[in-house]
Amino acid sequence: ASSWRSLRDIDWAFGVLALALQLVSWIWLIELDRITLGRDSWFVVGTTVFAGNALGRIVPGAATPQSVAMLDDAGVPVGQAAAGLTTSTLLQVGTALALPALALPALIAGAPVAHGLLTATYIGIAVLVLIVIVGAFALQTDGLLSWVGRTVEAIANATVRRRHPLKGVAAELLRLRDFIKAT
């Protein structure tokens, strides 16, 4: 409640800019999910994004399974929904991890940097390189994506009760990989 009082001190031009940029980031997030899901509907994807994110703030780890279930209800095959949301999440995480690389010119120039930030930069760069290597490997071979698909199926079928066991995730990942390579 006490943080509301700080709104009196806000520069309203900055507040409007921040709100506009937040709205644009939501639009881009929905567009990214539309691309990775291969869907045209802003409504289906947008409501899924917002409902999944809201649930994820209350129940950690529940966002993606619930989003997949909502997309399944909207006619998106479960394997495609899981693969699309996973791809979207990896792109978002990879982008966030790439941000420390933007600090490299300042580091090379000798700018003073706090030790914790320097460590975070090195970790971010290392994880980014790892993601690029794993991504390149996944684009070139079937083994990694098949293993990921089988693992996701096994975990989902062992932990979530459903009428029909989850099947075809590995094949869907390979199909989506081939689609991405073709575009």
Side-chain angles (χ1 to χ4, degrees):
S2 63
S3 60
W4 281 100
R5 290 187 208 112
S6 65
L7 290 176
R8 288 183 295 213
D9 302 326
I10 194 169
D11 178 1
W12 288 104
F14 175 75
V16 170
L17 177 63
L19 179 61
L21 291 173
Q22 182 61 54
L23 291 173
V24 169
S25 76
W26 284 335
I27 290 168
W28 286 345
L29 177 62
I30 293 168
E31 180 63 15
L32 176 63
D33 284 348
R34 284 180 62 237
I35 291 168
T36 60
L37 291 167
R39 294 291 178 224
D40 292 330
S41 174
W42 280 83
F43 180 77
V44 168
V45 176
T47 53
T48 300
V49 165
F50 288 127
N53 285 344
L55 181 63
R57 302 229 184 251
I58 298 167
V59 182
T64 300
Q66 185 59 38
S67 295
V68 169
M70 288 188 295
L71 288 167
D72 183 36
D73 290 343
V76 179
V78 171
Q80 183 178 355
L85 293 176
T86 300
T87 302
S88 174
T89 301
L90 287 174
L91 288 169
Q92 293 171 57
V93 169
T95 301
L97 292 171
L99 289 176
L102 297 175
L104 279 179
L107 293 174
I108 292 169
V113 178
H115 178 69
L117 291 176
L118 192 58
T119 303
T121 299
Y122 293 142
I123 292 171
I125 290 169
V127 172
L128 174 64
V129 168
L130 181 65
I131 287 174
V132 169
I133 290 170
V134 170
F137 184 73
L139 282 173
Q140 299 303 322
T141 64
D142 292 350
L144 177 62
L145 290 178
S146 295
W147 176 81
V148 168
R150 289 189 310 272
T151 303
V152 166
E153 281 180 15
I155 291 170
N157 290 332
T159 58
V160 178
R161 293 199 328 191
R162 56 188 72 197
R163 277 184 245 143
H164 307 289
L166 183 61
K167 292 189 255 182
V169 175
E172 188 65 22
L173 286 173
L174 293 171
R175 187 191 70 75
L176 284 171
R177 188 263 328 261
D178 292 340
F179 172 77
I180 290 168
K181 285 173 69 172
T183 54

